Amino acid sequence: MRVPLPALLGGSALLLLLLRWRRRRALWRKVAEAQERQELSLVRMEAAARRFREQHPSLKMASILSLPLPELSKKLRDGSLPLDHVFYAYVGKALQIATETNCITEFLQESETQLRKAKLMEKQGLLYGVPVSIKDSIDCQGHDSTLGFIKNLNKPAAEDSVVVQVLKRQGAIPFVKTNVPQSLISYDCKNLIFGQTRNPLMFTRTPGGSSGGEGALVGGGGSILGIGTDVGGSLRFPAAFCGICAIKPTGKRLSKRGVMAGVVGQKAVAAAVGPLAKDVESLALCLRALLCEDMFSLDTTVPPLPFNEEVYSSTKPLRIGYYETDFFTMPSPAMRRAVRETKELLEEAGHTLVPFELTNVDYVIFNYCVRGMFADGGSSFVRKFKGEMEKGGIGLFFWLTKAPHWLKTLLSWISKPFVPRFSSIVRSLKENTVDEVWSLHHEIEDFCHQFVSQWQKLNLDVMLCPMLGPALGIGYPAKLSVAVSYTMLYNALDFPAGVVPVTLVTDEDEEQLKDYKGYYQDWWDRTLAKVSGARFSRGTSSPFPSSGHPQASPPLCAPGFSRQCGDARGRAVRGLALAGGAVPALHEGGGDPQPEEEQFLLSLLSWSRIPANSSVGHPLV
């Protein structure tokens, strides 16, 4: 008996739909299980914190939470502050911030066991008893590193990443993992598994990303020290948006073994592991602890260069380059003012400020960063989303990666007169040959040498730069992907970069924003003009008034000096600190990091602060 063709086709279609339905149901079941584990983690945190409060009803948790990390660490090591008091104070505070912002994905229950073992440690490390939060993408033994992908659920890490191992050997207690955007290639913080993380200073805003969970938790006071990663601003955006401090070292300064990457294998844009904290002294303490023999022996690819106290403590005046714009992303009025005010403070402190003009940033972003990261046309990145139920808001990117080369060429040519930046993105998403990739890497090396030469010609120690801010509304980073120019430049150069809060958005900044046009006046510029104000809101509740958002201090950078130039480098970092913002690294023409690079940066960053008596809410970021 022959089956009619229409019936056969209809049956096949029905079978395919049934299989797809079963597959999606299985995926949703995995998501639901992960969300249940997340809820159970919060329940366990609540139970642990409540049990401790009942045992110590007179203990004032606020006095512990108010201590800066260096002072807290000292009290823990000399025994004047019990380890469990600190641990459970932060468990309770972290639970509160997680409830408000959805920043925690998992409570590391073994941290309570580690707490008990820490009390018996004979050798107390620099971070003895300090609770530390860990970004989702950094492996912790027995726990998932999901990157927001369903396929990575129920695949616990076999061992701790090197950076977590070193933290534990220094006495630190990793106690939670924090949320990230799907794939990490975003400066928002949302995925289908754990949902959207919110800014602790204003719930309608994003905390930044991809270390957004860390930014929210540290910014809200639920963690005194967080560890994240950065491949285009992923440490600096959360720090800037949440009003805290962060440093992105050079790519090889801290081990990346056991750290999951958003784009695996690419070498054009250097990724790095780094800390986030409330103040620069805490970042310095973290780097002192991590840059130890354990780090160098567990990962022999890390240059054995310990923290340089002499450089960090130097008080010599600096020669500091600065710029207010990169001529690609027009800075908001608050961003310009942050640079100018920082410049004035640095000059009053005895430093010399020298104008520095960036050129061809558009070429760097499109040809080095976009083309470099997606040199295969984006196909390997797109494959990561195979089998996922959500594409992380990058549907257009998916379509472009799958479009034939001739169509991309035609689309780029047609759109160039009207939307030149879109045209450049389309042109950058081509599949390159091996020879073209090698040529690109060589071109990036030449660019780095040219940048350093310009730096040395001006005899600079460090650079003061703008940082995107204030924090954008939730969902808007996906619509403003081009606004990463101020941060991603220094990943391409592989310079260290840091961010500190400098000032707050003012009513005058808001008024001046009405005249914001952008350099290209395309849809990205129009969108940025719409959301760059502190008063921009999507109508949900927030703990702060509409004005007074934090503005992060401008980025700073410093390239190639010889190994004998430690003092100059130290001075450079100090100058940057005063200015705040991101400070790109000091290194030898793109080679291995010098021992003094991060110390310079930290020293300079440590001068910048928002006044303690500031009456408004959000830092300028």
Side-chain angles (χ1 to χ4, degrees), residues 63-95:
S63 62
I64 295 175
L65 297 172
S66 65
L67 292 173
L69 179 57
E71 185 178 351
L72 179 76
S73 174
K74 183 176 181 298
K75 288 180 177 291
L76 285 168
R77 282 183 280 128
D78 66 20
S80 61
L81 192 59
L83 271 66
D84 52 354
H85 288 197
V86 174
F87 179 79
Y88 288 107
Y90 273 99
V91 167
K93 185 64 175 180
L95 174 65

Side-chain angles (χ1 to χ4, degrees), residues 129-290:
V130 175
V132 178
S133 51
I134 307 294
K135 184 177 181 177
D136 166 278
S137 58
I138 300 174
D139 282 352
C140 293
Q141 185 178 23
H143 300 274
D144 295 336
S145 297
T146 69
L147 281 70
F149 287 121
I150 300 173
K151 66 178 62 157
N152 291 336
L153 289 170
N154 304 325
K155 295 181 180 179
E159 62 178 358
D160 288 331
S161 59
V162 167
V163 69
V164 170
Q165 291 182 55
V166 176
L167 285 169
K168 289 182 176 179
R169 294 188 187 190
Q170 286 286 352
I173 305 175
F175 74 117
V176 292
K177 294 196 78 174
T178 56
N179 204 21
V180 297
Q182 187 183 37
S183 82
L184 307 184
I185 308 300
S186 169
Y187 63 104
D188 202 344
C189 192
K190 177 186 178 182
N191 61 71
L192 185 64
I193 304 169
F194 301 112
Q196 174 74 54
T197 298
R198 297 173 291 278
N199 192 308
L201 302 179
M202 182 169 282
F203 299 154
T204 58
R205 305 278 176 138
T206 175
S210 61
S211 306
E214 286 301 319
L217 187 60
V218 176
S223 174
I224 197 168
L225 179 65
I227 304 296
T229 62
D230 189 308
V231 75
S234 296
L235 285 163
R236 290 160 287 166
F237 279 114
F241 286 7
C242 297
I244 58 176
C245 304
I247 181 170
K248 176 200 81 68
T250 47
K252 293 184 179 180
R253 194 66 164 117
L254 297 175
S255 174
K256 295 194 286 281
R257 284 188 61 187
V259 177
M260 306 291 283
V263 181
V264 179
Q266 66 85 21
K267 302 297 182 184
V269 182
V273 174
L276 305 92
K278 285 279 192 176
D279 54 73
V280 176
E281 288 76 12
S282 298
L283 301 180
L285 178 58
C286 180
L287 286 182
R288 284 191 193 98
L290 291 176

Side-chain angles (χ1 to χ4, degrees), residues 8-22:
L8 182 61
L9 293 175
S12 300
L14 183 61
L15 178 60
L16 289 174
L17 287 173
L18 177 62
L19 292 173
R20 184 183 179 190
W21 174 78
R22 289 187 60 186

Side-chain angles (χ1 to χ4, degrees), residues 328-401:
F328 181 79
T329 302
M330 180 177 284
S332 66
M335 292 167 63
R336 285 189 185 273
R337 183 172 57 80
V339 175
R340 291 170 182 172
E341 290 183 356
T342 300
K343 171 182 176 291
E344 292 174 2
L345 288 170
L346 289 168
E347 289 175 330
E348 290 173 4
H351 301 287
T352 301
L353 277 290
V354 181
F356 188 95
E357 184 171 333
L358 292 180
T359 58
N360 299 323
V361 171
D362 56 341
Y363 186 83
V364 173
I365 296 301
F366 295 129
N367 203 56
Y368 299 164
C369 298
V370 177
R371 182 184 167 205
M373 286 188 68
F374 306 110
D376 61 351
S379 59
S380 60
F381 178 67
V382 167
R383 281 198 297 272
K384 287 176 172 286
F385 292 82
K386 185 177 181 180
E388 298 292 316
M389 293 190 294
E390 186 179 70
K391 299 294 190 291
I394 54 175
L396 178 61
F397 180 88
F398 266 63
W399 183 84
L400 288 173
T401 57

